[in-house]
Amino acid sequence: MKRVAVWACLALVAGSCAARAQIVEDGSEAVLGRADTRTVLDLVGQRFRALDPKVTALRRADGPWVCGSVNVKNRDDLYTGERGFVVDLSNAFFGRVPDGPELLSPRAAGFEAMERIRQLYFQKCLD
């Protein structure tokens, strides 16, 4: 019975850790501070639970906005390449910049939301 309880505790701890990106790969979290970095990593982890996200290039934009890049694994367990993202710390909004093929059809489900994320990234994150 003790073994079951120990394994249940370990599973609970592992499950809570899997929901967040663990670290920022390049040390860029120093510009945000601990609390804002934790918020960003939690939002990335919620979206990309099991895809082993790697976060880099964190930087502040205007107001509560944070920009960065995230790299996640695909079904073949290979990293797909970094893609930008935006976070609004004031309302816990996270959006990863859509890939080109995702924006081919304006009639596709979620097109408007993806286009909004793309525009936000262009406005807030590109110099």
Side-chain angles (χ1 to χ4, degrees):
M1 192 59 135
K2 278 187 176 180
R3 284 186 182 174
V4 172
V6 169
W7 283 110
C9 288
L10 288 174
L12 180 62
V13 169
S16 67
C17 292
R20 56 170 65 168
Q22 296 300 312
I23 61 169
V24 178
E25 293 284 312
D26 62 356
S28 61
E29 73 276 7
V31 299
L32 295 185
R34 177 175 270 157
D36 289 347
T37 298
R38 183 78 267 150
T39 300
V40 170
L41 293 178
D42 286 347
L43 290 169
V44 170
Q46 287 171 14
R47 174 79 190 280
F48 300 112
R49 289 181 201 280
L51 302 179
D52 194 19
K54 291 184 178 183
V55 175
T56 57
L58 290 177
R59 59 204 179 277
R60 288 207 180 272
D62 57 326
W65 292 91
V66 173
C67 303
S69 295
V70 64
N71 195 355
V72 297
K73 289 183 176 180
N74 62 15
R75 285 184 241 169
D76 296 325
D77 208 30
L78 301 171
Y79 281 98
T80 60
E82 291 187 0
R83 286 183 31 201
F85 67 82
V86 291
V87 170
D88 182 352
L89 295 171
S90 67
N91 65 9
F93 169 81
F94 171 85
R96 185 172 75 153
V97 176
D99 202 11
E102 294 173 316
L103 294 171
L104 286 177
S105 175
R107 289 176 268 167
F111 176 83
E112 290 176 11
M114 288 187 286
E115 180 61 23
R116 178 177 175 257
I117 292 166
R118 190 178 74 83
Q119 289 298 322
L120 283 169
Y121 186 80
F122 286 168
Q123 292 169 1
K124 307 287 183 188
C125 303
L126 298 182
D127 297 328

